[in-house]
Amino acid sequence: MWREPLFDAYQKLLPRPRASAPAIIVEIDEPSLEAHGQWPWPRTAVAELMSAIARAGPAAVGVDLLFVEPDRSAPGADAALAQALQGRKFVLGIAGLDHPDRRFRVPPRAAPVRQSSARELPLRRFVAHLQSRPEIDRAAAGRGLISVDTADRVIRRVPLVARVGEVTVPALSVEMLRVAAGVPILGIDERGGERVALVLGDVAIPVQSDGTFRPYFGPHDQARFVSAGDVLSGAAGAELLRDKLVLVGVTGLGLLDFQATPLGERIPGVEIHAQILEQVFDRTYLHRPTGAALIEAGLLLAAGLALVALVPRVRAHWSVSLLALVLALFAAVGLAAFKAGRVIDVAGPALGALAVFGALLAATLAEADRQRRLLREAQARVAGELEAARRIQMGLLPAPRVRFAGEARFSLDARLEPARVVGGDFYDCFMLDAHRLFFTVADVSGKGLPASLFMALSKSLLKSIALRSGADPGAILAQASAEIARDNAESFFVTVFAGILDARSGTLEFCNAGHEPPYLCRPGRAPERLEHPGGPPLCVIEGFAYASARRRLAPGESLCVITDGVTDAMDPSGSFYGRERLTDLLRKAGDPASTLNVVRDDVRRFTGSTEQADDLTLLCVRFNS
C-alpha cells in the first residue's frame, strides 16, 4: 500500500536527467492532422511518412500504431505501406489481450529467444493479441509489445518481455534495440532469484524475474518530439532522425491515451518507450535485488530491538524523537538505495516499527494510568486536610516571574484565587522548546475539592500531551479531551484557552474550547475580545476536532486571559462586574504584573463584602520583541 507512493516520492525528489538522446518521436500531432486530414490517414499517406523517415537513415523505427483493419480508401493502400516497410528496420507494435480474440488465432511472429537456464520464469502472459494486417506485418523487421500494466493508472512497471500464448515476445523498445544492433537472437540470462537480464549482444538490461522493468522517468521534454507534418514537408532535417531510434505515435487531441507517471505528469504513451531507451543507453536502471526481503527484515529487526531496549527507559518526548530518528534512517536507506538503482521497500519496516512503538506506548500509558490511580487514592486519604490540599494545588501552578526570570522576548504573569479553600481553575505556562511558549487558562465545572482533584488531573494530562506531541493547540486539546474523558465518572467538563507564542516572531497560535474569550491589549487602542469558535469544552463531545487560529502580536501587544470568575463577580446588590467594566480597565494596561494587580484590586473593590462565588484566574502575556 505504501511502497509504490514511496518510490514515486523518490522519483519526484530525484528525477532521471536526460543525459543522452538516442530516441526521437515522430508525433502525429494537431498541426499534422490539420495539414493532412483527420486520423486514421490513408495507408498511402502513412507509407509516405514511413518512407520519409527511412530516407533519413534511422538506426531503427518503432511504430506505436496498429493497422488492424484493411484500408478501403484506395486499392493497394495496404500493399503500399508494406512496400514502404519492406527491407527496412521497422518494428511494428503488438497489443497483448487478456481475453480471446477470434481474429488472431495465429501466434504472433517474434524474434527467437534463448534462455540461459531451464527455469520457467513467471512472465506476464497474454491470452491473445492485436497486430497489423498480415501483409503489413510480414514486411516488418521485428515486432514488439506496446502493452503496459496500469493497475492504479500510474506507469510503474512495464513488461520488457512477456508471453502471448506460448510465444515469448519482447517489448517494442527492446525489439528496436535488437533490430538496430542486428542481433539475431534475444537472450535471457537467468541466474536465480531476481538476477535476470535481457541480453542484446554486449548490452544486458536487468529485469525482474517476471520480465517487468521499472521505468526511471525524467520530466516530459518536447525536445524528444518532431511533428510528422514537418517530416513529410521536409521542414525537419534528416539529421534529426539519422542514426536515431525513431518512434512513431499519435499525440493529436482526442487520439491519445495519456499515461500518468510517478512524477505526477501525464505523458504520451509513445514517450514511455523513448524514456526506456534512454535508460538503456544511460544504464540508469531501477531493480529490486534478490536479497531485498532479507534487507527489509533486518531493518525491521534492528529497529524493533532498539525501540524495545530504549523506549521504556526514556521519557515520552525522547521516545518520540527516537521513533522519528528510526523513520528518518529508514528513509535515508531507501533513498540511498534508490540513488544506487536498487529498489528497497522501507515502508514495510517503517510500519512495523510504528506497530512496535504503539505497543510499547500502550504499555507506558497503562503504567501512567496505574500511577494516576495511585495518585487519586492518595488524594482521597487526605481529603479532609483542605489546607494541605490548598498548598498542594497552588504548588502545582508555576510561578511565571521565577520561571521566566531574565526572559527579554516576552513578559508573563498569572494569578489564581479559588472561591473556596481549593478550586477548579488552573493556569500553566512552559516552553515547548527554546522559542515556543505554551500557556493555558482553564476552568473545571463545579467548585471545591472534587473540582480541584479534576483540575489536577486535567492540568497534568494537558501538560503531558503538550510536551509529548508538540502539536498545534487544537490538536493538543483534542488529545487532552480524549484522555481526560476516560476517567470522568462524574461527567465534569473543562473550558480551556490554550496558546503557543513564538518568541521570535510574535506569532500566536491558539484554540478556545468553550472558554471566556481573552482580551488583546494594544498601547493607545481599545482592547479587543479575541473571539474564536474553537469548539466546546473538553469532555462534552467525544472525538471533537478542535480548530486552531493564528494571530501575530506586534511588539508591546499583550493578551489577557481570564476565567468567568472575573466578569461574573457580584457586588452586594447582585450586579455583575461585566465585560464593559473590564474593557475600560484594560485600556490602561501596562506590563503583565501591574495589569493583573489592577484587575484583581478592582474586582475586590467591586464585590466588597460579598462572598466570592467563583474561582478568579488571570494570565497576561506581552510580546516584547
Side-chain angles (χ1 to χ4, degrees):
M1 172 179 167
W2 295 99
R3 175 188 298 175
E4 301 299 355
L6 181 63
F7 295 150
D8 292 352
Y10 289 156
Q11 291 212 36
K12 290 176 182 177
L13 185 63
L14 298 170
R16 179 181 58 83
R18 191 178 180 221
S20 64
I24 194 79
I25 300 169
V26 176
E27 58 173 339
I28 301 171
D29 55 359
E30 287 296 315
S32 302
L33 297 176
E34 290 178 7
H36 299 276
Q38 67 180 10
W39 186 261
W41 289 346
R43 300 280 161 80
T44 52
V46 178
E48 184 181 350
L49 175 62
M50 299 303 174
S51 296
I53 295 172
R55 286 194 296 271
V61 182
V63 183
D64 191 16
L65 305 169
L66 293 174
F67 306 101
V68 179
E69 301 296 335
D71 186 352
R72 298 182 175 86
S73 62
D78 288 343
L81 178 56
Q83 185 176 0
L85 305 180
Q86 187 69 47
R88 294 164 171 166
K89 295 182 177 183
F90 281 91
V91 179
L92 294 182
I94 297 175
L97 301 176
D98 289 320
H99 54 82
D101 192 309
R102 296 180 180 177
R103 295 175 295 176
F104 297 97
R105 295 181 178 178
V106 178
R109 299 174 61 192
V113 177
R114 181 171 58 199
Q115 185 173 324
S116 63
S117 71
R119 173 191 174 192
E120 183 175 354
L121 298 176
L123 303 179
R124 173 73 161 90
R125 185 181 294 273
F126 298 98
V127 299
H129 69 286
L130 286 176
Q131 66 180 47
S132 298
R133 291 183 51 75
E135 182 179 5
I136 300 172
D137 182 73
R138 285 193 297 271
R143 296 138 203 92
L145 278 172
I146 58 176
S147 301
V148 296
D149 294 321
T150 55
D152 58 356
R153 299 185 180 181
V154 178
I155 302 297
R156 297 189 178 99
R157 300 179 73 168
V158 174
L160 285 197
V161 62
R163 288 195 178 93
V164 177
E166 297 302 322
V167 178
T168 302
V169 182
L172 180 68
S173 52
V174 174
E175 183 65 1
M176 288 175 65
L177 290 170
R178 186 193 70 80
V179 170
V183 177
I185 296 176
L186 172 65
I188 300 180
D189 184 16
E190 193 278 314
R191 300 183 182 181
E194 297 297 321
R195 294 178 297 174
V196 181
L198 301 182
V199 180
L200 296 166
D202 59 352
V203 176
I205 307 172
V207 295
Q208 304 301 148
S209 59
D210 61 357
T212 58
F213 178 84
R214 292 182 179 270
Y216 185 2
F217 286 100
H220 171 70
D221 190 349
Q222 198 58 36
R224 295 187 179 100
F225 294 82
V226 61
S227 174
D230 291 343
V231 174
L232 286 168
S233 67
E239 64 276 3
L240 288 176
L241 308 181
R242 185 173 297 117
D243 297 326
K244 295 286 187 178
L245 296 167
V246 179
L247 287 151
V248 183
V250 292
T251 63
L253 185 65
L255 301 178
L256 179 65
D257 179 18
F258 280 90
Q259 302 290 348
T261 73
L263 300 183
E265 299 178 324
R266 296 181 66 82
I267 65 173
V270 67
E271 189 176 354
I272 296 173
H273 302 297
Q275 295 222 26
I276 291 174
L277 289 170
E278 290 173 3
Q279 278 187 254
V280 174
F281 269 72
D282 297 340
R283 298 187 179 183
T284 51
Y285 301 117
L286 295 177
H287 187 72
R288 182 168 171 81
T290 300
L294 291 177
I295 295 173
E296 293 155 7
L299 290 173
L300 176 57
L301 178 61
L305 291 175
L307 291 172
V308 170
L310 297 177
V311 167
R313 293 175 171 81
V314 299
R315 294 184 177 181
H317 64 282
W318 286 111
S319 64
V320 173
S321 300
L322 176 62
L323 175 65
L325 176 61
V326 169
L327 297 180
L329 288 174
F330 281 168
V333 169
L335 186 60
F338 181 85
K339 291 179 68 175
R342 298 292 181 264
V343 176
I344 303 298
D345 176 21
V346 297
L351 291 175
L354 285 171
V356 172
F357 181 79
L360 293 170
L361 185 61
T364 302
L365 291 176
E367 176 62 19
D369 185 65
R370 187 181 72 86
Q371 295 294 336
R372 285 198 299 271
R373 288 196 299 269
L374 293 175
L375 176 62
R376 286 196 296 271
E377 294 171 2
Q379 290 175 333
R381 286 193 298 269
V382 297
E385 302 177 11
L386 293 180
E387 187 56 33
R390 176 184 173 86
R391 291 196 300 269
I392 292 173
Q393 182 184 23
M394 299 307 291
L396 291 174
L397 303 176
R401 282 181 288 182
V402 175
R403 175 169 291 184
F404 302 112
E407 176 61 65
R409 296 173 295 178
F410 61 85
S411 303
L412 186 148
D413 204 357
R415 301 281 189 278
L416 188 151
E417 294 183 3
R420 301 179 183 176
V421 178
V422 290
D425 283 8
F426 69 90
Y427 67 86
D428 207 348
C429 50
F430 47 88
M431 300 299 292
L432 295 176
D433 53 36
H435 304 290
R436 294 188 303 154
L437 166 70
F438 179 90
F439 62 93
T440 184
V441 174
D443 185 359
V444 175
S445 60
K447 301 177 183 65
L449 184 60
S452 71
L453 292 176
F454 200 72
M455 162 267 183
L457 173 65
S458 302
K459 177 183 177 299
S460 299
L461 287 175
L462 185 59
K463 181 174 183 179
S464 175
I465 291 168
L467 289 172
R468 185 172 68 238
S469 68
D472 64 272
I476 291 172
L477 293 188
Q479 294 180 53
S481 181
E483 288 288 336
I484 296 170
R486 291 182 183 179
D487 299 307
N488 190 12
E490 299 299 323
S491 299
F492 282 108
F493 62 86
V494 190
T495 68
V496 183
F497 179 89
I500 298 177
L501 175 65
D502 191 326
R504 295 166 296 185
S505 64
T507 300
L508 173 67
E509 289 184 282
F510 61 94
C511 180
N512 192 333
H515 197 75
E516 178 74 17
Y519 291 81
L520 185 63
C521 303
R522 293 165 286 190
R525 299 176 62 181
E528 173 189 349
R529 276 167 59 86
L530 200 59
E531 302 283 355
H532 173 240
L538 307 189
C539 307
V540 172
I541 299 177
E542 183 178 356
F544 187 87
Y546 290 89
S548 295
R550 180 173 290 188
R551 182 72 175 260
R552 186 164 186 174
L553 301 184
E557 286 188 335
S558 58
L559 189 72
C560 187
V561 190
I562 64 171
T563 58
D564 55 10
V566 176
T567 54
D568 292 349
M570 291 189 297
D571 65 6
S573 66
S575 299
F576 291 101
Y577 184 86
R579 296 172 181 171
E580 292 184 4
R581 185 182 181 107
L582 178 61
T583 301
D584 290 338
L585 195 65
L586 290 177
R587 290 176 183 271
K588 307 171 185 177
D591 64 275
S594 63
T595 298
L596 298 187
N597 289 335
V598 168
V599 173
R600 181 194 59 190
D601 294 344
D602 193 64
V603 172
R604 286 177 177 174
R605 283 193 297 269
F606 178 80
T607 57
S609 60
T610 305
E611 182 180 358
Q612 185 177 340
D614 199 357
D615 302 334
L616 187 149
T617 305
L618 308 98
L619 182 146
C620 187
V621 58
R622 182 177 68 184
F623 175 61
N624 295 328
S625 62

